Amino acid sequence: MTIKEIQNEIVEEFSMFDDWDERFQYVIDLGKSLPLIDEKYKTEENLIRGCQSKVWLHAEKKDDKILFTADSDGYISKGVISILIRVFSNQSTVDILEGNTDFINEIQLQQFLSPNRANGLSMMVKQIKLYALALQAKN
């Protein structure tokens, strides 16, 4: 699936909920289903700076795609990173770098987050893009 197709799926899923309590619970549930990062990648180097909770993000290139794994010590942060990984993992570096995050506004995720968590969301997106740029440069 393309990044846009995945984003459209997420927008459709969030549109099923009538209020933010339901959306909030859905974000937490998404985080619970996140495949965990290997413990050896829970290092300072893989910590995303600027997040309220600790969020670890690891990227590796397989064939022409980047695979992301992550974990967090906070339920909300874990749910947010799981959404981003769903969108950007298993995509090419070019697609990741060109991909937008307009869907975040469509599902009103930033409105739901505290300013610190919204900053963390921005830092997560930035780190995903930086990994893609770094892995692209290695080729």
Side-chain angles (χ1 to χ4, degrees):
M1 290 181 85
T2 68
I3 288 174
K4 187 63 179 163
E5 289 169 338
I6 297 166
Q7 291 173 342
N8 289 340
E9 263 187 4
I10 293 169
V11 169
E12 188 174 313
E13 290 167 13
F14 272 81
S15 72
M16 293 187 301
F17 302 111
D18 295 326
D19 62 44
W20 259 109
D21 288 337
E22 292 173 344
R23 290 178 182 204
F24 179 76
Q25 186 59 52
Y26 187 60
V27 169
I28 291 172
D29 291 343
L30 289 173
K32 289 177 182 177
S33 66
L34 177 69
L36 294 183
I37 192 171
D38 191 308
E39 287 295 319
K40 69 182 178 184
Y41 298 123
K42 281 187 164 183
T43 63
E44 284 292 315
E45 181 179 286
N46 289 327
L47 267 176
I48 298 177
R49 306 284 180 240
C51 292
Q52 184 172 345
S53 301
K54 286 186 177 182
V55 179
W56 297 271
L57 180 66
H58 173 71
E60 62 183 84
K61 197 165 185 182
K62 294 225 177 177
D63 301 320
D64 64 338
K65 307 284 184 188
I66 298 180
L67 303 176
F68 292 100
T69 55
D71 195 10
S72 176
D73 64 357
Y75 291 119
I76 296 170
S77 296
K78 194 170 183 173
V80 171
I81 194 67
S82 73
I83 292 169
L84 294 174
I85 284 178
R86 180 173 163 193
V87 170
F88 293 107
S89 194
N90 207 26
Q91 303 291 336
S92 71
T93 55
V94 171
D95 289 342
I96 292 168
L97 292 170
E98 291 177 356
N100 68 51
T101 54
D102 294 345
F103 80 102
I104 292 171
N105 293 330
E106 290 182 55
I107 63 173
Q108 301 172 338
L109 186 56
Q110 279 191 301
Q111 294 174 354
F112 154 74
L113 299 174
S114 68
N116 285 342
R117 286 196 174 103
N119 182 59
L121 168 62
S122 298
M123 297 309 294
M124 290 176 200
V125 171
K126 180 179 178 182
Q127 189 61 47
I128 287 170
K129 300 272 186 175
L130 286 172
Y131 272 128
L133 191 60
L135 290 169
Q136 183 182 51
K138 280 187 174 182
N139 288 340

